[in-house]
Amino acid sequence: MSDWKNICKDKDSRPKEQKYKNWKELTPIPISFPDNAMQTGNWRSFRPVLDKEKCTKCGICWLYCPEGTIKQGEDGYYVIDLTYCKGCGICAHECPVGAMEMVTEEEAQESDVE
Amino acid sequence: MSEFEGKRLVKGNFAASYAARAANVQVVTAFPITPQTLVVEKISELVDSGKMNCEFVRMESEHSVMAGLIGASYAGARTFSATSGQGLLYMAEPVHWAAGTRLPIVMTIASRGIAPPWNIWADFSDIVTQRDSGWLMALLSGHQEIYDSVLMAYKISENPDVMLPYMLAYGGFILSHTSKPIHMPKQSLIDEFLPKIPKLGWDHVFLDPDRPIMHGNLIMPNTTPGYQEFRMKIQLAQLKAKPIIREVAKEFKETFGRDYGNGMVQEYKCKDAEFIMINCGILAKQMENVVDFMRSLGHKVGMLRLRTYRPFPTEDIIDAVKHAKIIGVVDRATAFGSPTGGPISSETMAALHNDPQTKDLRVIPFINGIGGRDVVTQQQKRQFEILMECYDKGELVKNEELMSTTYWTGAMGVK
Amino acid sequence: MTANLEKDFTEVTFHGRGGQGAITASNLLCAFAFEEGYNDVLDIPKIGAERRGAPIQAFSKLSKEKEIKDFCAIKSADYTLVFDFTLLDIPSVATSLKGTVIINAPDFVDLDCIAHVKAIWLVDATNIAINNNLMISGYPILNTLMLGAYAKVTGQYTLETMKKVLNQRFGSRGEQNYIAAKEAFESVKKVRG
């Protein structure tokens, strides 16, 4: 009933998922956690694909991504989180060496299978 | 046929813009806010292309929008603007000034829910915050009515016995962004219907260096005539507006052929009804279908649409519902901490209580469609069923929707 | 009196992605029907904070005679226009499809996920748009094409009506839209039902 009272305790002990049977059980205000925010990946009709041969690891794509979906991997190359990437193409536009290419989702999914 | 006459398919917001043009508005100040933006965008387009002869001023905030209109109206101009939700709240201070100065400004409100949580959809809570500011207020229920009401509003506001600003509210998105065919009358007919804009300013106030006056100064509490007397005059003007609103609605019907009840309320099959629901805005329009359906099942139901919210149509409501067994009042707005939680239901109860004909009439409050939540006809049908069941049992039906004495229909986790 | 809570008008739902023109399409459909002599029409764009590429919905209601008083969203449409077949991957979209469905898709697309739909028409609107250069910043605009296909499927309005309204609305680009819409009108084909 008052599960939400733990919501602002430390990150680990708060409920992973918020489930309420009716409106009386709700938190007083709507709260979203970073891991269950709106998944914008299905908005995408074009996907950025990185060409590692051209990439200079400069990090400009990481800096410009409006959704913070680009992170540096262990090998130093940048990786895109496709759950949230909405395919806006800003990274491809800003890349100074043209290492990021926008590919249609269908094409990308086909090459994934291969 | 010109772009501005005849039957055309328009968005609700554009209906407001076209009506402002037809009313020969002279000054429009504007600041964009969703879902009102299209109103002023269209006007700016019309002014820019020379199709509307009007001074269009872009302001830096809603507060300045109203300040600008007050200035222009002081100088005797016919003025118009539009806003919504948070914009109206930000405008609040000069909104009261406009009424206190008795300036006939007309403003359309594409009503939206108040944040947080952020909301941009239909909800009349925004104008409820300004309901006691002295402005006249109407709750509109269709594209055609938006157009027609702007014309009627100038005629009512500029009446020397009224001289109060007018707020015309319609649901955001559900009316502002949907399109329907509306009929726009000939300009010559409109010009004849509307009062002439006085060349030398309004009767009571003017900005003219040749006729200097002072206004807006401080009056000490015990100076007479003073603050109290001028406040009483605003309430008197609200009361005097009632017959004038009825008269203008009648004249409008005779001139243009469209019927808005008596201007204060609009009855739908109330004459012989035993169960009457009071509703407003687009949900009232939709409820007409439900009334037809309930009547086909043999229930004697009716619906009364509250068209004018300020001045509150006390006599009109009493007259329309005094023969009913029980009535319901549906709000699409919240008034937290009020007797019922809904603004119109609270006021209706108060209004009926003081009249011997209706003092024993039971009023059942409903709240629905908050923040633009879809209200389907099935839900409205159930509201009637709850109302009839309450009458049969002689007490409130206990169910999950009931909070204190009010039914909040359409909430999560409720069947 | 034959009053009921069931609809007595045509209901059309549009599923698209932000930027494809689905909202404009619901408005244009009303304009076509209105021009064709329908007494009352209503378009309801379901607008929120959507961006380009986000799944969006719009609705149109068309009535030959009676006034439309029903302003709520459509639950079971007579006709549904799907602007992008990848939307069928979203379960809530696929299960909501009822009545006759017109999908923008090439021939080879897999329709198993909507096995419950009785009548399906396909039109390759994306390619027609690209061939006719109906593009805005690299995105094909599909609204007039889908409505060309809709005209063929329903016969609710003629190509002449489309031409007239498109020329009024879009001026010099009206003709270009009309030619593409005509191509869609001619190429839409029934695959089920």
Side-chain angles (χ1 to χ4, degrees), chain A residues 1-35:
Chain A
M1 187 69 181
S2 51
D3 272 0
W4 58 265
K5 284 185 179 157
N6 293 322
I7 220 161
C8 289
K9 296 225 170 90
D10 64 297
K11 213 173 122 196
D12 299 322
S13 66
R14 70 186 183 194
K16 283 270 175 298
E17 226 181 320
Q18 303 179 61
K19 276 190 177 168
Y20 304 101
K21 278 201 285 296
N22 62 45
W23 64 272
K24 282 178 192 164
E25 293 182 2
L26 292 173
T27 48
I29 57 167
I31 300 279
S32 315
F33 296 141
D35 42 346

Side-chain angles (χ1 to χ4, degrees), chain A residues 75-88:
Chain A
D75 56 358
Y77 291 109
Y78 286 86
V79 188
I80 298 145
D81 184 350
L82 291 173
T83 317
Y84 294 101
C85 168
K86 57 186 185 184
C88 68

Side-chain angles (χ1 to χ4, degrees), chain B residues 4 20 43 69 98 104 108 117 136 143 161 195 204 213 253 302 344 347 349 415:
Chain B
F4 307 110
I43 292 178
L69 288 189
T108 57
L136 306 171
H143 299 68
D161 279 339
H204 68 294
I213 57 164
K253 193 186 169 189
I344 299 173
E347 281 193 70
M349 280 175 149
K415 276 176 204 153

